[in-house]
Structures are given as structure tokens and as C-alpha cells.
Amino acid sequence: MQQLTILGATGSIGSSTLDVVSRNSDKYKVFAVSGYSQVNRLVEIAIAFSPQFIVTKDKVSAQQLHQALPSDLQSTITLKFGDEGLDYISSHPQVDTVMAAIVGAAGLSPVFSAIRAGKKVLLANKESLVMSGELFIDAVKEHGASLIPVDSEHNAIFQCLPHDYAYGDGERSGIEHLLLTASGGPFRAMDIEALAHVTPEQACAHPNWDMGQKISVDSASMMNKGLEFIEARWLFGLSAENIKVVIHPQSTIHSMVQYIDGSVIAQLGNPDMRTPIAHALAYPERINAGVKALDFFSLDKFSFEAPCQKRFPNLFLAIDACKRGQAATTALNAANEVAVQAFLNEQIRFTDIYTVNNYVVKQHSDARLEQLSQVIAHDRLCRECATYAIEERKI
């Protein structure tokens, strides 16, 4: 019985994880969850899974949750809050596995806590690797943690690699390219001039996946694929030259590995995050994910396109940042989080997201980041720069 902490249990990945766990209750026990401030949803999780710990955003939300819990659970569930609470449930001695599904930079500290405690980390928080890269991978190696990707694309690549793949040794394994597939989002065929006028509602209406607002906007701008490009570079230890992005609108092929002998191995499935979650939870075994099998006889034709730089400048900015180094990718992630929130708040246009990102990356790509504290400080500086760019209309 694996004891599981779910960071970000009220989000889409967290909810899907809970669904998989409920289908395999003989194998997994929810030890702890975090949920920011969604009190009603946390009460539902508490009743269904009876975790030992729940972590919320702050003391106020923790008090609200305590009052909302049924009386019998008030005495059996310990409530914590803030970063200290997240770190506690990520590194607790009784925890075997940590699902890292907090969106954005907020997930960095608890993921590192889990790594330092040698946990099995199921990584759905791509920003952690984008922000800290080499420091992250070095910590995994130093503390003997296990790292399994949950993003559908990276999990697909993980499944397509040889079982004896040695980190960074693509040549020995005969790997030519990792092929990250992308749906192209809701604006793949929209007139480029019209992109400046799209609304947050349009940007959040992904054609294939049900996701949160931030990741939906990132998918629409293809920044999400850019962040995944950077993540793939660190997850598998290959250079940017060994990674390519392929637009595949049907989202049935989740990613591929191209080998030097001409073979391409692909992982296919219905677009449902429960599949990679179940794979990561059970690896190297397989468990029921509750996902329908792919019906090849009802599939539409597969199509593939090269991404257009004019339509998706954020993708190419991310690829360039990956080649420039850690300071550039940390700056990019920080700027993008600020810019996306500004777009959702209708402070800037959709196309201004790239302008903000490019402005910050140009100014803050040369710092040396050799410690986690330096990464966090650089992230803070770049967020301030992005906020300044928006407020002072430097865009």
C-alpha cells in the first residue's frame, strides 16, 4: 500500500489522480493533500479519502476548512498551511510517493523537499525543471529520489525509451530526436492578425484537453510546449538539438522517439490525463486508469505540421532560452506567469504575452544561478520586471 501525497489535489491533475487512486484503493492510500483555498472541494476529498493531513493557502483558509469538516474528521485530520505545510507533507517519513501537481513556481519548494527526502516524485509541475534545471536533476541524483514524468508528452517519451536508458546517453541508445507533439491549441488555424483580439474565454477553450486556465492559455500560445521542450531537455539529459516539436491536432499520438535506424516509436491513447498518471503511479507495472481503449476504427486521419514562428513566437522564444541557459529559462517562466495572469485579468492582449516574455528574457538571461536561493531570487526579480513592463506599458 503506497502512501501518497498529492500537491495540488483540487486542480485537474490532482482530481484525475484521485480518480485513479479510487479505482485502485487496494494499492494506494492518500496520506496528505494540498488545495490552496478551495475549501468545499477539500471537504469532499476529506470525506472520500480521509487523509491524515490537508494543507491550505494560509491560516484563514485552514480555519475555514476546519469549521467546514464533519465533526468526526476534525479530530482525525491535521490541518497545515503555507509553504511550511507543503514542505512537511512532501517530505514526511510515512510518504512513499509525491504527486507534484501545483501549477507554477509555487510548486518548486515542496518538490525539492520531496527530492531531498528521497521520495518517488511524479512530476506534473514542469515549471520546477524550467526554473531550476541542472540543480533539480543533481538533487535527484544526490538524494536517490525517483523521478517519473506525468505530463502526457514526457510520459509518452518515457514509455518509448529503452528500459535501460541511461540519463543523457542518447547516442548509446541510438536516439536521434525526441518528438514532442502539440495540438496547436484553439488558434492553430486562426488568422494571425486576429490573435491580438482573442479573449481569455477563447484562449481557455482547448479543443482536446480539459485543463486549468493558466495551462490552457499556455497551450493556446504554445508556451506550454516551449516549457515542455525545456523540461524534456532536463528530464532526459539531451541537448536542444535532439528535441523537435511536431503539431499533431488530433492529440492521439502523445509524443515519439526517433531512432538512428529509421524507427519511430510512438505512444498513443485517448487524450485523458489519467493514463500517464496511472502509468507513473504504478511503474513499472500497469493499473486500471478508467480510460477507454483507443478505437482505431473510429479514428480520424492523423495530420502533422511544423509550428509557425509568426503564429507561435512564445514556442521559439522558449527554445532559444533553453539554448541560452538556466537564467534565461527561469526568467521566461517568471515573466510568462505574470503575463498570463495579466491577460486573464484583461490587462494586456493575448499577443502581449510574448512581448512581456521577450522583454524580460532579454534583460535577465546572464545571471549565474548555482544555488536554489539564487534561482528563487532571480525568479522574483524577473516577476518584478514583468510587472513593471505591464504597468509602464513597455510592451
Side-chain angles (χ1 to χ4, degrees):
M1 180 74 74
Q2 285 192 44
Q3 299 289 324
L4 180 65
T5 283
I6 304 176
L7 302 173
T10 58
S12 59
I13 297 295
S15 296
S16 293
T17 302
L18 290 168
D19 182 85
V20 174
V21 167
S22 69
R23 297 170 187 275
N24 299 274
S25 57
D26 59 324
K27 296 179 174 67
Y28 308 99
K29 174 71 173 69
V30 177
F31 178 81
V33 299
S34 76
Y36 204 61
S37 58
Q38 295 190 37
V39 171
N40 292 338
R41 177 58 181 144
L42 286 172
V43 170
E44 294 174 357
I45 292 171
I47 293 171
F49 295 93
S50 300
Q52 291 190 37
F53 295 91
I54 298 180
V55 177
T56 63
K57 172 188 175 183
D58 51 29
K59 189 174 183 178
V60 172
S61 56
Q63 290 172 337
Q64 292 172 342
L65 177 58
H66 177 75
Q67 294 170 358
L69 285 172
S71 57
D72 60 319
L73 293 179
Q74 289 179 353
S75 59
T76 61
I77 298 177
T78 301
L79 304 185
K80 292 182 175 292
F81 57 89
D83 292 341
E84 184 177 336
L86 292 174
D87 291 342
Y88 181 86
I89 63 171
S90 299
S91 59
H92 195 284
Q94 289 183 240
V95 171
D96 302 302
T97 303
V98 176
M99 170 59 76
I102 295 176
V103 176
L108 182 63
S109 178
V111 169
F112 263 85
S113 293
I115 290 171
R116 292 185 184 118
K119 305 301 184 185
K120 177 182 176 182
V121 177
L122 314 183
L123 188 67
N125 172 270
K126 62 179 64 64
E127 291 86 356
S128 294
L129 267 176
V130 172
M131 288 177 65
S132 60
E134 188 173 4
L135 291 172
F136 189 106
I137 296 301
D138 286 348
V140 170
K141 295 175 181 176
E142 178 184 353
H143 298 283
S146 299
L147 182 63
I148 301 179
V150 172
D151 271 347
S152 60
E153 295 81 0
H154 301 103
N155 185 266
I157 289 170
F158 184 79
Q159 294 192 51
C160 294
L161 288 172
H163 288 298
D164 62 348
Y165 176 72
Y167 182 83
D169 198 354
E171 184 176 355
R172 184 184 68 84
S173 298
I175 295 168
E176 188 165 11
H177 290 104
L178 307 181
L179 303 176
L180 285 168
T181 58
S183 70
F187 306 140
R188 180 179 60 85
M190 179 180 282
D191 183 80
I192 292 176
E193 300 303 320
L195 291 175
H197 307 292
V198 301
T199 66
E201 290 72 25
Q202 288 174 300
C204 290
H206 195 280
N208 300 330
W209 296 91
D210 180 18
M211 305 179 293
Q213 283 190 317
K214 197 270 182 181
I215 194 172
S216 294
V217 174
D218 281 349
S219 181
S221 72
M222 273 189 70
M223 174 56 84
N224 193 48
K225 203 57 51 179
L227 298 178
E228 288 174 4
F229 186 102
I230 299 166
E231 185 182 8
R233 181 260 179 274
W234 289 113
L235 274 173
F236 306 111
L238 300 180
S239 70
E241 286 69 28
N242 292 116
I243 307 170
K244 290 185 176 181
V245 174
V246 179
I247 293 181
H248 167 54
Q250 293 79 21
S251 294
T252 304
I253 298 175
H254 296 142
S255 274
M256 302 169 276
V257 176
Q258 184 176 43
Y259 291 88
I260 59 174
D261 63 0
S263 299
V264 177
I265 298 179
Q267 190 268 334
L268 288 72
N270 286 312
D272 190 317
M273 283 304 299
R274 290 177 296 175
T275 294
I277 289 168
H279 175 266
L281 274 171
Y283 180 81
E285 300 177 357
R286 300 275 179 171
I287 57 174
N288 174 31
V291 179
K292 290 183 179 180
L294 196 61
D295 181 1
F296 284 91
F297 303 107
S298 64
L299 289 177
D300 293 329
K301 65 179 181 180
F302 287 174
S303 59
F304 305 93
E305 307 167 14
C308 169
Q309 185 165 0
K310 190 173 181 181
R311 180 181 298 279
F312 300 119
N314 277 296
L315 169 63
F316 292 86
L317 179 63
I319 293 172
D320 180 65
C322 183
K323 295 175 181 178
R324 294 176 69 173
Q326 187 62 73
T329 60
T330 303
L332 176 68
N333 181 74
N336 186 65
E337 288 193 22
V338 173
V340 168
Q341 191 57 56
F343 167 67
L344 289 170
N345 294 341
E346 300 185 356
Q347 295 173 265
I348 62 173
R349 300 174 300 174
F350 179 74
T351 48
D352 291 333
I353 295 174
Y354 165 76
T355 310
V356 173
N357 292 342
N358 189 46
Y359 176 85
V360 175
V361 170
K362 278 187 174 181
Q363 296 196 46
H364 297 288
S365 294
D366 298 325
R368 291 178 62 85
L369 307 179
E370 299 175 340
Q371 299 177 21
L372 186 58
S373 60
Q374 293 174 325
V375 170
I376 294 171
H378 191 64
D379 172 79
R380 187 182 305 114
L381 173 66
C382 293
R383 288 172 188 274
E384 292 171 356
C385 181
T387 301
Y388 170 81
I390 294 166
E391 291 178 350
E392 299 300 322
R393 308 308 298 174
K394 295 296 182 181
I395 55 176

